[in-house]
Amino acid sequence: TTNKQRLCYNPRMSFFLSLDHARGFYADADSAHDFEHILRVMNMAEFLARQENAEVEIVRAAALLHDIARHDEDSLREIRVSKSGQASADATIDHAQVSANDARAFLLQHGADENFAARVADAIASHRFRGTARPETLEAKILFDADKLDSIGAIGVARAYAVAGATNQKLWSEPKENAVATRAQRHSAHTPVDEYHVKLKHLRERFFTPTAKKIAAERHAFMEEFFEQLTREVKQVAGIK
């Protein structure tokens, strides 16, 4: 059986999750949170799991399913913004918790046992940077780390600008004093520079596993240099001393 046909499999159960099945959950996702993001998180999570002696099957399933409700959260927020004319910092739903609930239901329906489904759901529920749930198990910490590693470094910069393009943001701005790390930032007044200062540069302090911390240090250094260079070039072109 190929990995494409049977990606997550436990011989104790008649459960499998294929890449094609998982891909279907992200058909409407934006380019910063699409299935390519899911695959990067999955690959990194598997690597971290092996380095940290965690259960790879739990981590793999959690990575594949961790954002399955994110599009629903974004869609509901867009509806609220269109009705009110302004972004709200209050999330209509918490995509991490809803994704956890949906993942658990999906796994149980497809043959996973209660313990496996519960451990996957636990990891998913605590993967969100802005969430209140803190990762407690090793597998939850690994999912958190893998997801956040995809938010920094060159990939993090690329994803920040993907969101910027989708929401008509400027390429650069002076950091805003009132910029905040909430999902309400996804509007034209926010910029990738704001995102760097309110969130991305602080992620280095949030990693759990030794392996992820080492990778994060290198990616943070690149990202820091990028935004410093961007500011130098913008100010040079603008003639600002």
Side-chain angles (χ1 to χ4, degrees), residues 6 20 156:
R6 178 167 285 183
D20 286 341

Side-chain angles (χ1 to χ4, degrees), residues 7 28 32 64 70 94 120 174 204:
L7 186 69
D28 297 322
L64 283 172
R70 187 182 184 99
D94 178 352
V120 171
E174 292 285 1
R204 179 177 57 173

Side-chain angles (χ1 to χ4, degrees), residues 188-204:
S188 60
H190 196 75
T191 71
V193 177
D194 292 324
E195 182 74 351
Y196 169 70
H197 284 285
V198 300
K199 177 185 175 182
L200 304 185
K201 73 178 184 181
H202 300 294
L203 285 174
R204 179 177 57 173

